[in-house]
Amino acid sequence: MKTIIAAYSGVLRGTGSDILSALQDLFWLLKSKAEKQLQIISVLQWVLTFLIMGIACTLILMYILCTDCWAIAALYLAWLVFDWNTPKKGGRRSQWVRNWAIWRYFRDYFPIRLVKTHNLLTTRNYIFGYHPHGIMGLGAFCNFSTEATGVSQKFPGIRPYLATLAGNFRMPILRDYLMSGGICPVNRDSIDYILSKNGSGNAIIIVVGGAAESLNCTPGKNSVTLKNRKGFVKLALRHGADLVPVYSFGENEVYKQVIFEEGSWGRWVQKKFQKHIGFAPCIFHGRGLFSSTTWGLLPYSKPITTVVGEPITIPKISNPSQKDVDFYHSIYVDSLIKLFDKYKSKFGLPETEVLEVN
């Protein structure tokens, strides 16, 4: 604000070219401030969507059923029953929604960047393993559920499907919003359909570490939950879908979290939630809405760079043995570590940094 006042004072005092220069400075200052506010709004709406939209829309729908406008809610519920299985059949993506300008402001807030290292064949299907989860998987959402970072231009002919908790698709309105971005349930029915009945050129993005990994994410720590996560490899073998390791540098930097030690009451509660509901409640904070020095729900403005690695060719084995799964899982883990080591120094990490695989 002081800078804007100083520029405005320059307009009042100067003449000729000085006035023109001061006006230009004032214009760019105002434009920059407006863009920053739009960036904050774009990120805030997604954070609120992630945290409360499903529950809020359910409660609103129940309330409308008790009012004179009950017919509107009844019509939507009838549509919901009719449309119930759509998420399991590839969903209903909207290029219009994926190209909303709000996602570009979302991208620029951090900023978020997508790095391509190899071409992907449109004659193949793929399973991307995304690491790490972070608190909200912000890099995964921005890169693969919107066109803000140009995923369709970088990988022409490839249709990305970000997989998330199936429970989200039981929530009214939220399910439609998620599907419009190409988001699908992370369950066998959905993945089988996309990889076997939707042609080729499909890429399912699975955040492999899931809720368990989110419990350990904290700034300065690069660790993934992967040693015993082999279901995605088995799915790849059953469908002959190539595996692609993806690492998102900076994903863990945007929120601070209270980490409960193993055996503590806090970790016990988190694991119970994870087991029975599918997600683990985290105690975390970012920056405040009006100040970066206060606590709030907004993530910190830290760069997130998502690097898509080299695809691993996977044969089609209808009934893969545990030996097959273990073999390709080990290849995948090695590829992920090599990807991390190759790019870590380019994105702010020391050469001595080691990726911790749990």
Side-chain angles (χ1 to χ4, degrees), residues 311-340:
I312 303 165
T313 302
I314 302 294
K316 185 174 183 179
I317 305 175
S318 299
N319 189 23
S321 66
Q322 189 60 48
K323 185 178 179 181
D324 294 326
V325 173
D326 291 342
F327 175 72
Y328 285 101
H329 181 267
S330 65
I331 293 176
Y332 177 86
V333 173
D334 289 342
S335 296
L336 178 64
I337 293 172
K338 288 177 182 177
L339 179 71
F340 178 84

Side-chain angles (χ1 to χ4, degrees), residues 6 67 103 113 139 225 241:
T67 68
W103 306 131
R113 179 185 172 203
T225 301

